Amino acid sequence: MGDNEMSVFGVSPTEEEIYRHFLRNPDTSADDIHLLVHSEQDDAKQSLDRLRELGLLNPDSSHHRVSPADPGVALARLTDARLNALHEELRRVMQARDLVDGLRAEQGSRLPPVQGIEQLEGLTEIRNRIDDLAFFARDEILSVEPYTKLSAANIERSRPLDLRCLRRGVRIRNVVLAAALDDLPTREYLRELVKRGAQIRVADNITERILVYDGRTALVPVDPQNTARGALLAHKSGLVSNIIALFEKIWTQADDLLTVTKESADAVAGLSEIEQQVLISMCTVGKDEAGARDLGISVRTYRRHVADLLQALGAASRAQGALLARERGWI
């Protein structure tokens, strides 16, 4: 990079020089900064105001003592603002494709008219388009997803996009199958999203797959039972409105995720603390001796608790007990 390394954030050479000066000399006076950067006093004052506006200098009512913002925090904020600006510019460029269709119509082209529906072929194309739509979403993402579990790879792929949307203030409303809560990683991931601001509901029996972005674009599979067959991306307002209406119907009939998981948690409220610890150990630790040692109890006491838990679960074996405990949300 050149001398003006911060130019990518819209910071001028003079502004960068001033910011670097205050990083080296925090809480120094701003009165003579124009002499240090060899500029007019009014120009230096404008640079100081600009640096405060960018968040590189902390607000100062006196305008005499200056405190620089932490570079990590300030540049992270500037990076996000710059990316948002670039995303908006890219969105406008992508809309130029619609302009081409309009110009061709003016030309009298014999190309078939745009129907407002695209067909996406293959999982790779579908996933890439979903990533793009989530990346450019600004207001709200609606989804109905009838999966029974999310793989570790799915969670790893989805988390950065989901959390980024939530950080930017995009509203997320999602309906999933209640059976998905039986899978611990899936349940924990969904609860994480709720903690970050997502609204998630669960339904016992849904087959629809729906994704709607900003109330304008909807994605539905060609075959809900086999997503590999492709998907349809709708831009037509009437069709998208009907898909949103279907989503709202499913949404109103579903139950809040936190309410459902709280009911599952209440099911183990009768267990003592040691019984809850033994239950977790029984499902995660191989040998009784290791489990008892971890909990600081005798092997005999540990096995007695295991027997009581299996009876409470109605399980004939430890493997079945672990399965039932997960299904009921006990762990």
Side-chain angles (χ1 to χ4, degrees), residues 261-273:
T261 53
K262 182 179 184 301
E263 290 174 354
S264 298
D266 289 343
V268 295
L271 297 182
S272 66
E273 182 178 353

Side-chain angles (χ1 to χ4, degrees), residues 1 3 19 47 72 77 91 103 116 119 124 129 139 145 147 157 183 185 194 221 245 282 308:
M1 298 182 71
D3 293 337
Y19 177 58
S47 294
R77 184 167 53 244
R91 186 186 65 80
L103 293 175
Q119 183 157 355
T124 299
R129 184 58 68 89
D139 301 314
E145 301 175 277
Y147 55 74
R157 177 186 177 87
D183 179 67
V194 171
M282 182 186 78
D308 292 340

Side-chain angles (χ1 to χ4, degrees), residues 138-158:
R138 286 292 177 268
D139 301 314
E140 183 177 54
I141 299 175
L142 311 176
S143 62
V144 178
E145 301 175 277
Y147 55 74
T148 55
K149 66 178 294 185
L150 289 172
S151 67
N154 283 336
I155 294 175
E156 183 179 359
R157 177 186 177 87
S158 300

Side-chain angles (χ1 to χ4, degrees), residues 24-319:
R24 294 189 298 267
N25 307 280
D27 293 320
T28 58
S29 173
D31 293 339
D32 299 326
I33 191 66
H34 64 289
L35 299 175
L36 297 172
V37 298
H38 309 291
S39 70
E40 296 294 330
Q41 190 169 15
D42 288 344
D43 292 339
K45 182 180 182 301
Q46 290 180 4
S47 294
L48 289 171
D49 291 340
R50 170 71 172 157
L51 288 169
R52 291 188 181 92
E53 179 184 336
L54 291 172
L56 291 168
L57 296 182
N58 295 319
D60 177 52
S61 58
S62 69
H63 280 226
H64 291 290
R65 310 299 293 181
V66 176
S67 173
D70 177 82
V73 175
L75 292 185
R77 184 167 53 244
L78 287 176
T79 298
D80 200 46
R82 180 61 175 154
L83 285 174
N84 285 336
L86 289 172
H87 299 162
E88 182 62 24
E89 184 176 351
L90 285 172
R91 186 186 65 80
R92 291 197 299 270
V93 171
M94 292 174 66
Q95 288 178 335
R97 291 179 296 184
D98 296 332
L99 175 61
V100 171
D101 293 328
L103 293 175
R104 281 177 173 166
E106 293 288 342
Q107 187 184 36
S109 171
R110 294 184 179 181
L111 292 174
V114 176
Q115 298 297 319
I117 298 177
E118 298 177 52
Q119 183 157 355
L120 307 180
E121 303 288 347
L123 289 176
T124 299
E125 184 179 3
I126 294 171
R127 286 170 179 165
N128 289 340
R129 184 58 68 89
I130 288 174
D131 288 349
D132 289 343
L133 290 167
F135 193 76
F136 288 107
R138 286 292 177 268
D139 301 314
E140 183 177 54
I141 299 175
L142 311 176
S143 62
V144 178
E145 301 175 277
Y147 55 74
T148 55
K149 66 178 294 185
L150 289 172
S151 67
N154 283 336
I155 294 175
E156 183 179 359
R157 177 186 177 87
S158 300
R159 178 179 277 113
L161 279 173
D162 288 339
L163 296 184
R164 183 182 182 281
C165 286
L166 291 170
R167 282 198 304 270
R168 291 189 294 112
V170 177
R171 185 184 183 197
I172 291 180
R173 288 197 288 155
N174 184 14
V175 182
V176 302
L177 272 175
L181 302 183
D182 295 338
D183 179 67
L184 182 59
T186 301
R187 183 171 70 249
E188 291 304 310
Y189 176 58
L190 294 175
R191 288 176 63 88
E192 177 187 359
L193 293 182
V194 171
K195 290 178 182 177
R196 301 296 183 92
Q199 299 178 54
I200 299 179
R201 294 186 178 183
V202 299
D204 290 328
N205 185 23
I206 49 174
T207 57
E208 296 84 357
R209 293 180 183 270
I210 296 172
L211 279 168
V212 182
Y213 298 88
D214 292 336
R216 295 188 297 269
T217 305
L219 184 75
V220 293
V222 173
D223 180 356
Q225 304 303 320
N226 182 10
T227 54
R229 290 188 58 191
L232 299 178
L233 189 64
H235 305 283
K236 293 180 65 174
S237 59
L239 180 57
V240 174
S241 296
N242 287 335
I243 294 173
I244 293 175
L246 174 59
F247 169 84
E248 294 294 353
K249 179 180 179 181
I250 296 171
W251 177 261
T252 56
Q253 295 174 349
D255 298 314
D256 183 76
L257 171 73
L258 293 182
T259 300
V260 173
T261 53
K262 182 179 184 301
E263 290 174 354
S264 298
D266 289 343
V268 295
L271 297 182
S272 66
E273 182 178 353
I274 186 63
E275 286 173 329
Q276 293 180 41
Q277 292 175 350
V278 170
L279 178 61
I280 294 172
S281 177
M282 182 186 78
C283 297
T284 56
V285 179
K287 295 183 178 181
D288 290 352
E289 290 77 8
R293 184 170 58 253
D294 290 343
L295 299 178
I297 59 178
S298 69
V299 176
R300 181 177 181 181
T301 300
Y302 181 89
R303 288 173 175 165
R304 187 178 71 249
H305 284 308
V306 169
D308 292 340
L309 289 167
L310 293 179
Q311 183 177 1
L313 287 163
S317 66
R318 296 190 184 199

